[in-house]
Amino acid sequence: MRLDPRGFFHHSQPSTAAILAFCACFIDVVCIVGLFHTFTAFITGTLVVLSTDLFQTPESAPLKLIVLGDFFLSTLGWYALVIRMRRSGRGSLRMLLLLEAGLLTSFMLIAALSAPLAGPLAIATVAAVTLSTFAMSLQNVVMSEILNFHAPTTIMTGNTIRLVSGLVDGWRASEEVADNARHRVRRHGRVIIAFTAGGLIGGYCMSQIGFWSLGVPVGLITLVGLAQPQEPLKAEKA
């Protein structure tokens, strides 16, 4: 029996959420190491680092404010785009994932060709941060609005709580409850493991080849995008 890679990368498969979680942590580690301790997929982290920068390294604080503004505005734009795509019957999940890969490719090229970056407010730094934030806010919208039957790929606190609750519920006597709990453990556990692996591998690759390491998540997201059918997004239920 021959393995169909398109099936493995299809959006209905658990592997899709695991791959996107791997890429999310990989990208954030690259941003933390290379873009002056800046998160672009994890707004909680951005707020924490901003609070620290204001008192420790105030010259880096404006970059975190840029991320917050970029994330908010781009998320508004991506939500509006998804709604428009559903109403018009044009566009697809494939298009959105390939768009994310394209934004990350631009981020990689600007950052790698400009390295070492001159400072937190250098033009290349701001451009790289903006492109990465646009890409990761798009992934968050895709997971929230289209692939919401999977575990979130950037919210590991919530995933951990659901994993722990699944472990606890698995001790109950009801077989139905236990089956649901085991499913929850697998669903959230594999995403947490993939996210952690992405961070570890991202840190190692960044230490070896710098921003060119972004070729790993770019390649993976491109593969996932190309594996999706070119069918329009389903209209929202009334």
Side-chain angles (χ1 to χ4, degrees), residues 49-69:
V49 177
L50 171 62
S51 300
T52 303
D53 281 354
L54 287 172
F55 300 100
Q56 302 295 325
T57 53
E59 67 278 5
S60 297
L63 189 61
K64 281 64 177 183
L65 294 174
I66 290 171
V67 169
L68 293 174

Side-chain angles (χ1 to χ4, degrees), residues 10 30 53 104 106 233:
H10 191 271
V30 169
D53 281 354
L104 291 171
S106 299
L233 299 179

Side-chain angles (χ1 to χ4, degrees), residues 77-139:
W78 298 135
Y79 269 114
L81 176 62
V82 169
I83 291 170
R84 185 179 181 85
M85 288 167 61
R86 281 179 163 154
R87 289 177 177 173
S88 66
R90 298 178 180 178
S92 63
L93 175 60
R94 171 187 279 203
M95 184 196 81
L96 293 174
L97 290 172
L98 292 179
L99 177 57
E100 180 185 351
L103 289 167
L104 291 171
T105 300
S106 299
F107 162 35
M108 176 181 68
L109 291 174
I110 288 175
L113 295 174
S114 303
L117 297 173
L121 293 182
I123 293 175
T125 304
V126 173
V129 163
T130 297
L131 287 164
S132 182
T133 304
F134 282 6
M136 298 318 298
S137 67
L138 174 56
Q139 184 179 130

